[in-house]
Amino acid sequence: EVQLVESGGGLVQPGGSLRLSCAASGFTFSSYWMHWVRQAPGKGLVWVSRINTDGSSTNYADSVKGRFTISRDNAKNTLDLQMNSLRDEDTAVYYCARYYYGSTGYYIDYWGQGTLVTVSS
Amino acid sequence: DIQMTQSPSSLSASVGDRVTITCRASQSISNYLNWYQQKPGKAPKLLIYTASTLQSGVPSRFSGSGSGTGFTLTISSLQPEDFATYYCQQDYVTPLTFGGGTKVEIK
């Protein structure tokens, strides 16, 4: 069974930092691209970042570029998101998500349960 | 960035109703369109990928169609467990973008 379990969320002051982690199990982690997607309270889904299978290629939403860094450890089956210079508008539930990239299409097929990040003074 | 526009933003329907949600892309995305269902307090769940392919385990009352810039998600006979928010998402180019969501409520 595919499982994605996020951790590391919490309350942080504006300008602060937080590191989110996602523990993956039930599949060959090193074979899948991975994403972070966030959802502000009561709002819709917003893509944040993605990383390829070996970590050599990453992409970011303009709103987080230069502040957030996505990384992975295929030996430990973990995905991380280092978030610096946090702003009020970064307050959201952050989801770790597995990405299928193959002959039948491109799509996020599994999501974690999410971890809440609250940026407030 | 490609803008995804869903309509309606919300709807009220009864069990057994046929429900259609539309999603329009600001430019052609071929068939790189996915649909997700999200219930309150839960993570999204993949329903349909590449516009019309049903994800394994998803009931056949769900169907998707369209290509280019216009897409639809249809629920042929609404069931109590289908009351949720539905999102479309384009995977044609980065950044991935989602529609604003359609909340399906009980009439």
Side-chain angles (χ1 to χ4, degrees), chain B residues 3-106:
Chain B
Q3 307 303 315
M4 305 301 294
T5 304
Q6 280 182 243
S7 61
S9 58
S10 66
L11 64 90
S12 294
S14 300
V15 172
D17 284 354
R18 181 182 182 88
V19 169
T20 298
I21 298 169
T22 65
C23 178
R24 187 157 300 276
S26 60
Q27 67 184 73
S28 177
I29 57 170
S30 184
N31 66 340
Y32 292 101
L33 189 283
N34 307 314
W35 289 98
Y36 300 90
Q37 175 194 65
Q38 187 179 33
K39 296 181 179 179
K42 300 294 186 181
K45 171 189 171 183
L46 177 66
L47 295 177
I48 288 170
Y49 59 91
T50 55
S52 61
T53 305
L54 204 63
Q55 170 70 339
S56 176
V58 174
S60 59
R61 62 181 179 272
F62 290 92
S63 64
S65 64
S67 67
T69 61
F71 302 87
T72 60
L73 172 70
T74 299
I75 309 172
S76 61
S77 178
L78 198 65
Q79 298 302 301
E81 60 267 31
D82 301 336
F83 292 95
T85 299
Y86 295 84
Y87 294 92
C88 62
Q89 175 248 323
Q90 68 81 19
D91 214 315
Y92 185 69
V93 294
T94 303
L96 309 188
T97 46
F98 293 85
T102 296
K103 187 174 184 179
V104 177
E105 298 175 302
I106 301 172

Side-chain angles (χ1 to χ4, degrees), chain A residues 40-73:
Chain A
K43 302 297 185 181
L45 300 167
V46 177
W47 175 79
V48 174
S49 181
R50 75 175 179 190
I51 188 167
N52 69 344
T53 54
D54 65 4
S56 61
S57 176
T58 59
N59 298 97
Y60 300 91
D62 285 346
S63 59
V64 307
K65 200 173 295 182
R67 301 188 298 123
F68 290 13
T69 302
I70 190 172
S71 62
R72 65 190 298 160
D73 186 332

